[in-house]
Amino acid sequence: MVQSDFLVIGSGAAGLSFALSVAEYGSVTIVTKKESIESNTNYAQGGIAVATSAEDSIESHIHDTLAAGAGLCDENVVRTIITEGPARLDELRRRGARFTENAPGQLDLGKEGGHSFNRIVHSKDSTGREVERALMEETQAHRNIRVLEHHFAIDLITEHHLLTAHRADDRITCFGAYVFDEHDGRVEPHLARVTMLATGGTGHVYLHTTNPSVATGDGLAMAYRARALFRHLEFMQFHPTALFHERGNSFLISEAVRGEGALLRSIEGERFMTRYDKRAELSPRDIVARAIDDEMKKSGSRHVWLDATGLGSDFLESRFPMIYQRCLSYGIDMAKEFVPIVPAAHYMCGGVQTDLDGQSSIVGLLACGEVACTGLHGANRLASNSLLEAIVVSNRAAKNAIRIFENISCLECVPEWDHSGTSDPQEEILISHNRDELQRLMTNYVGIVRSRARLKRAERRSRLLFEETEEFYRKSILSVSLCELRNLIAVAYMIIKSAKMRTESRGLHYMSDYPEPYENALDDVVLQRSSFANR
Ligand code: FAD
Ligand code: SIN
């Protein structure tokens, strides 16, 4: 059994920033499922949206965020996060993150869709790598923080594992998590006064995603099984421009490339975005992704083109060195030829419902970053607002944790993980078959364009996958791939259920049966597992 004051699940921007902010007050254990830098954070390209320039303003950033969110942002949350952004950016720089400058002390600011001004602070096109590097270096040097790599959190520990009665007020409490150590195959309880869920996104619930392989929605599924409250899960953001290439594995071509003037062209080479929105290539992402989807359906093509040839090779090489080199490695010279692109699953706007201090509906459980839903993004996230949210809310959550942790006592012991009745699976290949089937059904029926018939079909088929996988899970010796499959199925179920409840089109959720927003549908779709026993 491992005991700490603070257990952090995940080592991206949210988890690391939180850990560094609480580490002076108590012991911190970070568990992370692969190498510590492996996270969505590490692949962030465009940057961090912060209003810092003289012509820009906090009010303008708030306005753009609310406009992208299509009526579902929480205005107080938007205002607070955007207002606190500059201070958190300064803190990140003090922690050693270096951002691109166009003169000493003067940040170079990029532009992305939906932003009225250039306000994206970046490290060329590898912003996330720089943020992760700086935070990880400080984390590793901290005497109070221990990082355990290849440690996969399986489930949150709540009363229902202890088989004790609920608290009088019937609120669920989290005492830590059961964690699978991949080195020795053991499952150990990690107990803590406060648990921070910072497990990131869930792009792999779809066939094509910009997310790295760790993004399998584990935190969402764990919190669902623990009966946390969720909201906005119907809003999955598809990034318009992922590379279409058999070896490219949905590699992202940053929106900042369009911010610098690149254009979108149909398979025949015609510029089409001006027909869809006056903001053209820099319209919010939901509009651009749907326009591309529409062009592909009309022409029967498997991709459209991104034309960056007007930017010139010198500029592309210096502003987007990583993207330029990566395209070259696939035989595409962006300076001379169009890049084939398709939309791909990119960011989950919904998540574990929290307040501005990361507090979930479960006592002792905080959540922050992509796994959480504060209400900043509403029905569609404005580009580069997620790293901003991660650094601001993790700081507030740390203050919250420091306030509450001394009044929460750590459990002394919990039951060992129950392995009884499990054996080596006879046909491990069934895991990848079911995963592939799930990703296809989510892509076909719960993608950029949805309908009642599609969602119904998705629900029916995912139910069968759920039943098969649960049976497999009960009988099999634990493996990461099996846990991930189980989690992806839970997340798919939550997305489908939330999507079915929203009978309108709004932001990223487009229903062909209800193509317009419905004025009275501004309420959140809030989801909670109805009991520990059922789906
Ligand atoms: P992550 O950074 O994803 O970290 C999650 C951590 O949890 C990882 O360490 C993971 O291994 C760990 N984990 C997950 N499950 C488990 C488990 N079961 N047990 C233990 N550990 C677990 N946003 C912007 O604002 N600006 C951008 O320019 C930008 N560009 C992007 C480009 C790409 C290609 C992608 C994929 C995303 C981009 N985003 C961008 C989104 C942004 O990067 C993420 O939303 C943000 O980094 C999420 O941070 P996080 O700390 O919440 O999660
Ligand atoms: C990008 O660089 O296009 C990604 C930015 C984001 O997802 O916020």
Side-chain angles (χ1 to χ4, degrees), residues 360-475:
S360 75
S361 56
I362 294 182
V363 177
L365 180 68
L366 308 183
C368 179
E370 192 166 339
V371 72
C373 179
T374 58
L376 172 69
H377 309 306
N380 181 27
R381 176 181 65 107
L382 187 65
S384 289
N385 263 359
S386 46
L387 285 175
L388 168 72
E389 183 185 42
I391 58 174
V392 171
V393 180
S394 59
N395 178 273
R396 297 179 64 96
K399 290 181 182 142
N400 179 19
I402 294 159
R403 262 194 315 269
I404 61 176
F405 91 104
E406 281 185 332
N407 298 326
I408 304 178
S409 47
C410 218
L411 276 189
E412 290 303 314
C413 71
V414 294
E416 290 294 309
W417 184 257
D418 183 8
H419 290 281
S420 57
T422 62
S423 56
D424 275 329
Q426 299 277 305
E427 287 203 85
E428 211 162 336
I429 189 74
L430 293 178
I431 298 176
S432 51
H433 285 170
N434 275 6
R435 183 168 163 143
D436 183 69
E437 218 174 306
L438 180 80
Q439 291 170 328
R440 279 179 203 283
L441 83 83
M442 288 302 287
T443 303
N444 290 336
Y445 306 133
V446 202
I448 295 174
V449 174
R450 302 162 178 183
S451 69
R452 273 182 304 182
R454 286 176 194 218
L455 293 178
K456 221 162 146 187
R457 196 176 259 216
E459 191 176 35
R460 258 201 315 268
R461 297 190 181 177
S462 67
R463 187 178 297 274
L464 191 61
L465 290 174
F466 167 77
E467 282 160 10
E468 281 173 11
T469 305
E470 284 303 299
E471 193 186 340
F472 202 75
Y473 180 79
R474 271 194 303 278
K475 292 184 180 160

Side-chain angles (χ1 to χ4, degrees), residues 45-47 112 237 239 252-256 285 346 381-386:
Q45 295 182 358
E112 290 181 331
Q237 185 170 70
H239 197 292
L252 180 74
I253 314 281
S254 176
E255 193 157 313
R285 275 184 197 166
H346 183 61
R381 176 181 65 107
L382 187 65
S384 289
N385 263 359
S386 46

Side-chain angles (χ1 to χ4, degrees), residues 18-20 35 39 85 93 126 148 153 172 202 233 257 263 286 289 314 317 327 343 351 367 369 384 386 428 524:
F18 175 83
L20 287 169
E35 295 76 39
S39 57
R93 297 177 85 184
S126 299
L148 301 175
I172 301 159
T202 189
L233 288 165
V257 178
L263 304 176
D286 55 332
D314 288 351
E317 271 186 83
C327 285
S384 289
S386 46
E428 211 162 336
D524 289 343

Side-chain angles (χ1 to χ4, degrees), residues 1 152-158 160-161 177-181 185-190 222 225 414-422 473-474 476-479 483 486:
M1 182 155 355
F152 184 98
I154 304 169
D155 259 323
L156 299 171
I157 300 172
T158 58
H160 104 276
H161 292 100
Y178 284 108
V179 177
F180 176 62
D181 178 351
R186 281 161 48 105
V187 177
E188 259 188 314
H190 282 240
M222 280 189 272
R225 289 192 288 270
V414 294
E416 290 294 309
W417 184 257
D418 183 8
H419 290 281
S420 57
T422 62
Y473 180 79
R474 271 194 303 278
S476 305
I477 288 180
L478 214 64
S479 67
C483 291
R486 192 171 177 242

